[in-house]
Amino acid sequence: MCGRLSGRVLMLLIGSLMLTATVVAQDRFSDNDADWWHRVALQAAANVGSDDAEIQQIGLENLIFLTVFYREQLPMDYLFQAVVAAYQQAPTEVNRTLARAALISIGTPAAIAHLHSNGSRRQEQLARVELIRVLQDQRAHVNQF
């Protein structure tokens, strides 16, 4: 019961963060065309696939933000493949946790299946916490401008 309750509270927290930041975020990029979004997806995949741990980390954080707030403009299957590759070659456990968080933010059946089959329940919970942290950090950054 306690685990079920904490999961519900966590989902409520994620939902409230998303609602709060959505209005601010969507004003920023709403006027961009499909070609611009295509280039964003290519760059996101390149950053997520970087051999440099810091670039990969920042890329995963940015990807989480983009997939939460702009999923309708992005090719989720393409980004899913990039995150799976990043997960498999993550140079640090922090990056592996971020890749799990990115899978959650992508949210497709394939992403969730990969998440469940490649890690423990505890690792998934840590990824959910990391997802919230990333969204809070991104929201704070977006609100500065």
Side-chain angles (χ1 to χ4, degrees), residues 32-66:
N32 295 307
D33 63 11
D35 185 52
W36 188 85
W37 284 106
H38 175 74
R39 290 191 311 271
V40 166
L42 291 174
Q43 186 61 52
N47 291 344
V48 166
S50 176
D51 291 334
D52 183 280
E54 189 173 346
I55 291 172
Q56 185 184 61
Q57 180 178 345
I58 292 167
L60 286 163
E61 290 173 352
N62 290 336
L63 182 74
I64 289 167
F65 176 82
L66 290 169

Side-chain angles (χ1 to χ4, degrees), residues 78-92:
Y78 174 72
L79 295 174
F80 165 68
Q81 295 301 323
V83 171
V84 166
Y87 175 83
Q88 292 170 344
Q89 64 186 3
T92 69

Side-chain angles (χ1 to χ4, degrees), residues 7-139:
R8 289 183 182 150
V9 171
L10 183 62
M11 293 310 293
L12 178 63
L13 181 58
I14 291 171
S16 65
L17 283 172
M18 289 170 49
L19 286 174
T20 303
T22 298
V23 173
V24 174
Q26 288 187 348
D27 289 344
R28 245 175 140 189
F29 301 119
S30 60
D31 293 335
N32 295 307
D33 63 11
D35 185 52
W36 188 85
W37 284 106
H38 175 74
R39 290 191 311 271
V40 166
L42 291 174
Q43 186 61 52
N47 291 344
V48 166
S50 176
D51 291 334
D52 183 280
E54 189 173 346
I55 291 172
Q56 185 184 61
Q57 180 178 345
I58 292 167
L60 286 163
E61 290 173 352
N62 290 336
L63 182 74
I64 289 167
F65 176 82
L66 290 169
T67 57
V68 167
F69 296 110
Y70 299 103
R71 71 181 312 100
E72 63 277 353
Q73 283 94 355
L74 296 167
M76 289 298 161
D77 291 336
Y78 174 72
L79 295 174
F80 165 68
Q81 295 301 323
V83 171
V84 166
Y87 175 83
Q88 292 170 344
Q89 64 186 3
T92 69
E93 191 56 35
V94 169
N95 287 28
R96 193 177 307 279
T97 300
L98 278 168
R100 287 184 188 104
L103 290 169
I104 295 167
S105 72
I106 289 171
T108 62
I112 300 304
H114 190 273
L115 178 71
H116 291 303
S117 64
N118 289 283
S120 69
R121 177 81 172 124
R122 172 134 174 81
Q123 289 170 322
E124 185 177 334
Q125 289 172 338
L126 290 172
R128 291 182 189 286
V129 170
E130 191 65 9
L131 174 66
I132 291 169
R133 184 204 58 82
V134 167
L135 292 175
Q136 286 175 329
D137 289 353
Q138 293 284 351
R139 188 180 110 213

